[in-house]
Amino acid sequence: MVEHYDIAIIGAGPGGYSTALRAAQLGLSVALVEKDQKLGGTCLNRGCIPSKALIEATRTIADVRDGARMGINASIESIDFERLNRYKQDSVVSMTEGLSSLLKARGVTVITGSAEMTGPRQIAVSPSNQDHAPGSEDRRHRTGERTDGDSDRVARHAQACVRIIEADDIVLATGSRPRPLPDIPFEGTVIDSTTALDLPRFPRKATIIGSGTIAVEFASMWRQAGVEVTLLIRGDRVLSAWHRRTSQALTRSLKRQGVNVITHSHALRIDGSDRSQPSTALRYITEGDDGEHTLTTDIVLVAIGRDPNTDEPWFETNSLNLDEHGLVVTDEYGRTNLPHVWALGDITKGPGLAHRAFAQGLAIAETIAGLHPQPVDDNTVAKVVFTTPQAASVGLTLDQANDDDAVISAEETIYPMLGNPRIMMSGQPASLALVTGRYTELPDVTVLLGAHMLAPDAGDLIAEAEELIGNRVPLDRASSLIHPHPTFAEAMGEALLKADGRPLNTR
């Protein structure tokens, strides 16, 4: 029996479930297919939520230790890892069960199983543990050639799969997975972020390979919990694609916390990773040095990026257009090269962030429903790293603004964060840079183009900059907004005043 829906969505992460919720709200019938037993994708189950729960816990440890600076003498007796893991899991369960209830209330049909496109506007769903690749027995199907046996193929699916679903529109939200080192698989003591979050207790010594968000968040979290952490990075600073001043400030902060940051390094091999040895030996080289270096460690976390889940045979069979990185090629609204097939989130070009995928889902659902939403502008998608202190960034750096033909008269304003009393009280390093300029289409109006910061709660502070950038608020109006005193947010107000040529508490 074939079921019909207005929209069928493959993947129930933030992009998939936001599409489902908005489409159902607009009166469309929706099927949401997820291979995992729990909804929410990597973000809710294996990423954002469990990692931030642990970060919140270890931040408490750091706060207790920081008390001595203010005359509060306290100490950490021990970490009850059973209760800590229960706290982490309770956070996940609360979010996933809440999502399930919301989808049910909206009338979304949730289907558990592995989905694949079997033809135009059709998907087949099989049990998640069933290895069922359509056409795997026939080379012509794998290469996307149409054959007279296509009708037989659909019939076989009808027998082998739980459900055959036809939909007017299909949305692909299959997400991504951790990327391993070349020729060094994830096994034994060489782990990815998912395994790291499931460790029953923190390691004594940990080596992290990578310089991006996941790598530095684990480095900060584990170090605050007392783990001896070594961070191997390819360049001269973490977050190397970010605003230089911000990433340099975070690199210095990690070193100050006791993280051993080894720059310009390259891992060669890992010995003793099968857990049969008392320790794991990581061999690496550094730029300008002769010979190999060796690190002994309990665990090696590889956090060098993520790969899109687009390598299932049906992506090729259906002739979906992928780029050289395996990402689905779409227009600004998420349309693929196939009619009525859409893609979003980690399998599309752009920052692999949950909130971006969520916004893409809203835009796709509204477009399918016949509305005319604005597409997601990656320039207004904020990036946040939940280290201590936090790093956050949105919009253009000065170099990017100077390279953008649509921007003229770009300038950078550096605000000395220690001028903010709350920053000073926190005792944490901080940095704030604003980029301002004018667009060629509005040559008489100066606006905020970018904001890049390292500060306590920077993830919350960056939201104001995102609004100002996205709405192109004139700088003179933005700088006239009143910020409460004394707050961390007041630093943004002071920085805007300085950028507008009206500095008060700074030169």
Side-chain angles (χ1 to χ4, degrees):
M1 178 178 176
V2 176
E3 303 173 47
H4 182 84
Y5 295 87
D6 294 323
I7 300 179
I9 304 162
I10 302 178
Y17 74 68
S18 70
T19 308
L21 289 170
R22 183 61 177 138
Q25 190 178 51
L26 292 169
L28 302 178
S29 59
V30 182
L32 178 61
V33 186
E34 171 56 51
K35 61 179 172 41
D36 292 339
Q37 293 297 315
K38 294 181 180 180
L39 303 175
T42 295
C43 178
L44 268 61
N45 291 282
R46 300 175 295 279
C48 314
I49 301 305
S51 67
K52 302 316 173 281
L54 291 179
I55 287 170
E56 185 69 19
T58 56
R59 184 175 174 179
T60 301
I61 297 174
D63 288 343
V64 171
R65 289 175 174 156
D66 189 47
R69 180 176 60 87
M70 297 170 277
I72 300 172
N73 298 316
S75 61
I76 303 296
E77 292 183 2
S78 63
I79 299 176
D80 185 334
F81 284 100
E82 183 177 346
R83 290 185 64 183
L84 177 61
N85 285 320
R86 189 161 60 244
Y87 159 74
K88 176 197 70 176
Q89 194 56 36
D90 286 347
S91 300
V92 172
V93 170
S94 177
M95 295 297 295
T96 56
E97 290 186 351
L99 174 60
S100 296
S101 297
L102 186 56
L103 289 165
K104 183 177 181 181
R106 291 277 175 89
V108 174
T109 300
V110 176
I111 302 169
T112 303
S114 296
E116 55 187 77
M117 285 181 56
T118 53
R121 302 190 182 189
Q122 186 179 78
I123 67 174
V125 184
S126 59
S128 295
N129 59 357
Q130 179 177 332
D131 184 13
H132 188 78
S136 58
E137 72 290 346
D138 191 325
R139 185 202 64 82
R140 290 170 298 176
H141 288 144
R142 289 199 302 273
T143 56
E145 297 176 28
R146 302 294 293 175
T147 72
D148 293 336
D150 281 339
S151 58
D152 293 337
R153 177 184 174 209
V154 172
R156 287 197 302 274
H157 273 297
Q159 295 176 353
C161 299
V162 173
R163 291 178 174 175
I164 298 293
I165 294 172
E166 290 183 350
D168 295 340
D169 289 271
I170 295 174
V171 179
L172 307 180
T174 53
S176 63
R177 61 187 183 277
R179 178 183 305 147
L181 287 167
D183 303 319
I184 303 177
F186 291 119
E187 61 182 13
T189 57
V190 181
I191 64 173
D192 60 18
S193 57
T194 300
T195 302
L197 288 171
D198 284 338
L199 292 174
R201 61 191 306 112
F202 295 144
R204 183 180 60 87
K205 294 175 65 175
T207 298
I208 303 171
I209 301 175
S211 62
T213 299
I214 294 173
V216 296
E217 284 187 351
F218 269 98
S220 179
M221 174 180 69
W222 279 345
R223 184 61 200 139
Q224 287 178 153
V227 178
E228 186 179 326
V229 178
T230 297
L231 184 63
L232 267 63
I233 63 176
R234 297 291 297 270
D236 63 346
R237 66 192 193 280
V238 300
L239 305 181
S240 57
W242 281 46
H243 180 262
R244 175 173 287 274
R245 184 183 178 89
T246 305
S247 60
Q248 286 175 334
L250 179 56
T251 305
R252 289 193 298 268
S253 176
L254 290 170
K255 291 179 179 179
R256 176 183 170 188
Q257 294 172 39
V259 176
N260 178 27
V261 181
I262 302 178
T263 60
H264 303 292
S265 60
H266 178 76
L268 295 176
R269 65 183 186 277
I270 300 173
D271 302 325
S273 62
D274 60 0
R275 296 185 186 270
S276 64
Q277 303 297 321
S279 63
T280 296
L282 186 150
R283 317 287 181 181
Y284 70 96
I285 57 174
T286 58
E287 239 175 68
D289 275 353
D290 295 329
E292 297 181 6
H293 302 272
T294 302
L295 276 172
T296 58
T297 186
D298 298 332
I299 212 91
V300 178
L301 169 60
V302 177
I304 58 173
R306 297 179 66 86
D307 292 321
N309 291 326
T310 58
D311 51 355
E312 289 292 330
W314 59 267
F315 280 86
E316 181 181 353
T317 301
N318 285 281
S319 301
L320 271 162
N321 189 11
L322 306 181
D323 69 11
E324 66 273 20
H325 303 293
L327 298 169
V328 180
V329 177
T330 70
D331 70 4
E332 60 183 354
Y333 282 96
R335 297 182 183 90
T336 71
N337 62 303
L338 302 181
H340 299 281
V341 178
W342 312 69
L344 54 73
D346 288 5
I347 62 172
T348 62
K349 185 178 180 180
L353 299 168
H355 45 284
R356 172 180 179 261
F358 190 92
Q360 287 177 304
L362 298 181
I364 287 175
E366 291 177 359
T367 303
I368 291 173
L371 303 181
H372 301 284
Q374 290 294 314
V376 173
D377 179 2
D378 285 344
N379 193 46
T380 63
V381 176
K383 300 175 291 185
V384 181
V385 178
F386 291 86
T387 47
T388 299
Q390 296 174 2
S393 176
V394 65
L396 303 176
T397 65
L398 181 60
D399 289 342
Q400 291 170 337
N402 286 331
D403 291 339
D404 192 331
D405 292 337
V407 173
I408 56 177
S409 303
E411 296 182 359
E412 183 175 72
T413 298
I414 305 298
Y415 175 72
M417 291 287 268
L418 286 180
N420 178 278
R422 290 294 306 282
I423 295 289
M424 181 187 65
M425 294 172 194
S426 75
Q428 296 185 32
S431 171
L432 175 58
L434 301 183
V435 179
T436 56
R438 289 172 283 163
Y439 288 103
T440 53
E441 62 192 53
L442 294 169
D444 298 325
V445 180
T446 300
V447 295
L448 184 65
L449 301 173
H452 315 278
M453 65 180 71
L454 182 76
D457 299 329
D460 294 315
L461 300 180
I462 202 68
E464 178 183 355
E466 181 178 349
E467 292 282 350
L468 295 175
I469 293 169
N471 292 311
R472 297 192 179 184
V473 178
L475 182 59
D476 58 347
R477 287 177 53 197
S479 62
S480 296
L481 298 173
I482 301 171
H483 293 73
H485 172 79
T487 62
F488 292 124
E490 196 176 15
M492 176 62 73
E494 292 279 356
L496 288 167
L497 280 170
K498 185 178 180 183
D500 195 36
R502 299 186 288 152
L504 289 183
N505 296 313
T506 181
R507 296 178 182 179

